Amino acid sequence: MRERRGLRAGAWRRVLAADAEHGTDYARTLVSWFDAGCDVAGAARALSVHPNTCRYRLRQVGRQLGIDLEDPDERLVLWLQLRVLAECSGPAGP
């Protein structure tokens, strides 16, 4: 399947850049949250962090990186980008 150029652009690069530059764990937090069906408690359990830590990270993604996690289309695209293009997975992954 030929990769669409539009899918390679977007928020996922900002997420990975923030993680690399500031030592944040936004990519794993997002993927864990998506995998948990956008349930903070489930994502926090998977990441072995307090739910407030997970909530804080998700808020920071919105504030610092301008990602609207309330938008289902934006969530879907970001999940695909992180999983496929960045090859991120949940807590056990890279």
Side-chain angles (χ1 to χ4, degrees), residues 2 4 8 10 15 26 36 40 48 50 58 66 70 73 77-80 82 85-86:
R2 193 170 66 106
R4 294 186 57 174
R8 288 193 278 173
V15 172
Y26 295 154
V40 170
S48 299
H50 193 278
L58 294 170
E70 297 295 319
D73 292 332
V77 170
L78 182 57
W79 178 80
L80 286 170
L82 288 171
L85 300 175

Side-chain angles (χ1 to χ4, degrees), residues 20-76:
E21 185 175 336
H22 303 290
T24 55
D25 206 7
Y26 295 154
R28 275 185 355 121
T29 300
L30 285 164
V31 171
S32 296
W33 182 63
F34 294 143
D35 289 351
C38 299
D39 175 56
V40 170
R45 274 192 305 278
L47 292 165
S48 299
V49 299
H50 193 278
N52 286 343
T53 300
C54 195
R55 282 185 196 91
Y56 174 79
R57 290 176 185 172
L58 294 170
R59 270 194 316 271
Q60 292 304 100
V61 164
R63 288 179 185 156
Q64 292 179 0
L65 307 178
I67 297 170
D68 181 5
L69 294 176
E70 297 295 319
D71 181 344
D73 292 332
E74 194 161 348
R75 286 194 312 261
L76 173 63

Side-chain angles (χ1 to χ4, degrees), residues 16 19 25 27-28 31 82-83 86-94:
L16 296 179
D19 283 355
D25 206 7
R28 275 185 355 121
V31 171
L82 288 171
R83 280 295 202 162
E87 298 179 2
C88 289
S89 60

